[in-house]
Amino acid sequence: MLTHLNERGEAHMVDVGDKAETRREATASGAIFMAPATLGLLVEGRLPKGDVLATARIAGIQAAKRTHELIPLCHALSLSKVTIDFDIDRESGCVRVRALCRLNGRTGVEMEALTAVSVACLTLYDMCKAVDKDMEIGAVHLETKTGGKSGDYCRNTALGHSADQNHVADQGSVTAAEASIPENRPNMADSVVSTAEGVANTKSAVVHVRCLAELRERLGVEETSVTFASLPSADVAGLKAQLGRMDKRFQYLNDAQVLCAVNHVMAGDSSAITEGDEVAFFPPVTGG
Amino acid sequence: MLANNNKSMLRSQVRVQEEAFDPGVEQQALLAGRSDIGAVVSFTGLVRDFNERPEVTALTLEHYPGMTEAALAQIIDEARERWPIDAVSIIHRVGRLTPGDPIVLVVVACAHRRAAFEACEFLMDYLKTRAPLWKKEHTASGDYWVSEREQDHHDAQRWEKESP
């Protein structure tokens, strides 16, 4: 697929000539938040500049192809596939953008996917700015990356973007959860075993997070895991802070209504957590 | 399922299940072979066809497997510290239910009636505010998660005021 490799001679550019050609794929996502009225006009096709999503899609595809012109040390790539998808998320008041880039080649395509998302968001801003100047672009991040020497990557938060996310239905949250679960995700029993055997198992050095009932649907997350070492403090407050850093939708966990349990026992912000713990967040209970 | 503790003669059971239950059968099983029990109080909660909105057509109950059972067992332990309970059973259903279906059963058996009445009420009040179960109501005008009720918290709090 790669017609030629760019050997421009810049000393600081990675020489990819000796790398094996593999099928590379990357997905990235982001969102542009806007007023509900703006989102309504966009959906109904009543914005002055015309078909907003179609324009933003073309812009994203063009941007992916021209990433090397924008990002100084990127190679020019001959992409075999670029797709841009949009989700209208009325609950969060935003348009979510997801880009997929693919090629058979010697370098990853994550910069292309991230650039596509960014430019699609900028184009959405341009297309809507006549009626809303307060729009905000955010949450631009890499979702997945496959192929290449550094191995596959899947973003650890479940907050990526599922095609169904605008439907706040079980199906949507399940999709998000599946996307988030790293391979060979250890369960609690696994981590207990590895501790007992004294085996260093880096994969167990995580805290498992679950969201239940209305909270699961609100956040679009059923399960995720957070690296224990990334927590600013080894307690529930630290976990909430780290989750909030990973995706601002998790900031809702600080709402006074949200309850928390650590290993099935009700807990508060100051409750200690450790590797392998299961931390669940949920709304006030309504059984009986 | 039915745990017997010979020392205190306590029978205690907690079940979370999708299947329906028969309150009569459950009560009989709990009391079988016992002649030291003088009072048994049983509460059955049913699905109403009206709640936050009229015309509730169905209910979906979700829970947190593992924690629900542990929380209910904990509530039973707290009740046992307050009343001399001889036998107790809590069954809570999950999944999709329709109006008229039984949701929850609490059966408490004691030597005397007052303890049985009070313990049964206590168990329900604590279950409603502490067990990780959530209701989603399905109505003609849409589905929604049921909000918590302030009254439930008042009901549970009165036991805290009365505690020694």
Side-chain angles (χ1 to χ4, degrees):
Chain A
M1 295 301 282
L2 212 62
T3 52
H4 78 287
L5 286 172
N6 58 333
E7 286 289 348
R8 292 177 178 173
E10 289 96 334
H12 46 285
M13 202 162 167
V14 177
D15 183 349
V16 297
D18 297 331
K19 293 167 90 172
E21 280 207 7
T22 59
R23 180 188 168 105
R24 313 289 189 116
E25 196 173 288
T27 55
S29 68
I32 178 166
F33 295 84
M34 59 184 69
T38 314
L39 198 56
L41 291 171
L42 185 156
V43 171
E44 292 158 23
R46 295 199 284 130
L47 283 161
K49 287 194 178 182
D51 191 335
V52 174
L53 297 183
T55 310
R57 179 175 287 115
I58 297 297
I61 293 169
Q62 286 294 99
K65 293 196 287 188
R66 306 182 77 152
T67 299
H68 70 285
E69 294 176 12
L70 296 167
I71 310 298
L73 304 186
C74 274
H75 297 82
L77 304 175
S78 176
L79 295 165
S80 63
K81 182 179 177 68
V82 181
T83 62
I84 311 284
D85 294 312
F86 301 100
D87 272 344
I88 308 296
D89 185 341
R90 287 177 190 271
E91 194 154 274
S92 305
C94 69
V95 178
R96 300 190 180 279
V97 182
R98 181 176 183 275
L100 177 151
C101 293
R102 183 187 297 157
L103 88 168
N104 288 319
R106 296 182 168 91
T107 73
V109 286
E110 64 268 39
M111 289 313 302
E112 282 68 17
L114 287 163
T115 302
V117 166
S118 302
V119 172
C121 284
L122 286 169
T123 305
L124 288 171
Y125 189 99
D126 183 52
M127 297 292 286
C128 304
K129 69 180 190 290
V131 298
D132 186 356
K133 290 179 176 54
D134 297 327
M135 291 179 289
E136 186 181 337
I137 293 169
V140 175
H141 56 241
L142 181 66
E143 295 280 353
T144 60
K145 176 179 187 286
T146 59
K149 196 172 62 177
S150 63
D152 293 351
Y153 166 87
C154 179
R155 187 175 162 85
N156 242 359
T157 117
L159 294 174
H161 200 71
S162 76
D164 295 333
Q165 217 161 33
N166 50 336
H167 309 298
V168 189
D170 292 348
Q171 198 184 353
S173 44
V174 168
T175 311
E178 282 170 355
S180 76
I181 300 169
E183 284 177 6
N184 303 323
R185 173 182 172 278
N187 58 29
M188 290 168 65
D190 286 342
S191 24
V192 170
V193 169
S194 60
T195 308
E197 293 173 354
V199 176
N201 181 356
T202 53
K203 285 196 171 183
S204 67
V206 296
V207 174
H208 307 296
V209 178
R210 293 184 68 162
C211 297
L212 294 152
E214 190 266 346
L215 190 67
R216 177 191 64 240
E217 294 185 356
R218 178 190 288 260
L219 301 181
V221 181
E222 183 168 7
E223 287 185 27
T224 185
S225 52
V226 177
T227 310
F228 179 71
S230 71
L231 304 186
S233 57
D235 54 21
V236 171
L239 176 64
K240 285 183 181 177
Q242 178 59 17
L243 284 165
R245 252 186 251 163
M246 287 157 73
D247 191 295
K248 71 178 187 180
R249 273 186 286 169
F250 273 128
Q251 288 167 10
Y252 179 75
L253 296 178
N254 289 310
D255 189 284
Q257 287 265 303
V258 175
L259 303 176
C260 173
V262 176
N263 298 332
H264 295 169
V265 177
M266 290 302 295
D269 278 352
S270 59
S271 302
I273 52 181
T274 187
E275 294 170 18
D277 279 354
E278 177 171 299
V279 181
F281 295 103
F282 45 81
V285 302
T286 56
Chain B
M1 301 254 277
L2 210 63
N4 259 310
N5 183 331
N6 288 333
K7 229 181 200 172
S8 64
M9 283 305 287
L10 174 81
R11 284 183 180 179
S12 170
Q13 168 180 247
V14 167
R15 268 161 44 202
V16 181
Q17 63 187 40
E18 289 190 18
E19 305 75 44
F21 54 78
D22 180 331
V25 170
E26 297 300 335
Q27 180 169 316
Q28 270 183 3
L30 197 63
L31 304 182
R34 299 282 296 254
S35 53
D36 56 335
I37 288 168
V40 57
V41 171
S42 158
F43 171 84
T44 305
L46 307 175
V47 180
R48 266 195 314 267
D49 65 0
F50 67 94
N51 193 36
E52 289 183 17
R53 296 185 198 172
E55 294 175 39
V56 173
T57 53
L59 200 65
T60 301
L61 265 150
E62 174 177 330
H63 79 125
Y64 181 11
M67 181 172 173
T68 315
E69 294 85 349
L72 294 175
Q74 173 66 31
I75 293 168
I76 289 176
D77 284 347
E78 289 185 39
R80 286 185 62 206
E81 286 173 14
R82 293 166 184 249
W83 296 279
I85 297 172
D86 292 321
V88 54
S89 175
I90 300 180
I91 301 175
H92 205 297
R93 290 179 70 191
V94 292
R96 194 176 174 95
L97 305 174
T98 51
D101 284 348
I103 306 178
V104 60
L105 176 71
V106 175
V107 185
V108 185
C110 305
H112 302 287
R113 75 178 184 284
R114 186 165 307 283
F117 273 124
E118 288 181 358
C120 187
E121 206 168 8
F122 171 92
L123 289 168
M124 268 311 297
D125 287 346
Y126 269 42
L127 179 155
K128 284 192 86 81
T129 50
R130 297 189 178 189
L133 290 142
W134 301 274
K135 287 192 190 106
K136 189 183 216 177
E137 286 181 347
H138 308 280
T139 70
S141 58
D143 304 343
Y144 53 88
W145 288 96
V146 173
S147 309
E148 64 173 335
R149 290 170 68 238
E150 197 50 43
Q151 184 62 44
D152 290 336
H153 287 279
H154 285 301
D155 289 346
Q157 273 160 17
R158 72 201 155 115
W159 299 106
E160 278 154 43
K161 283 178 206 142
E162 287 167 19
S163 68

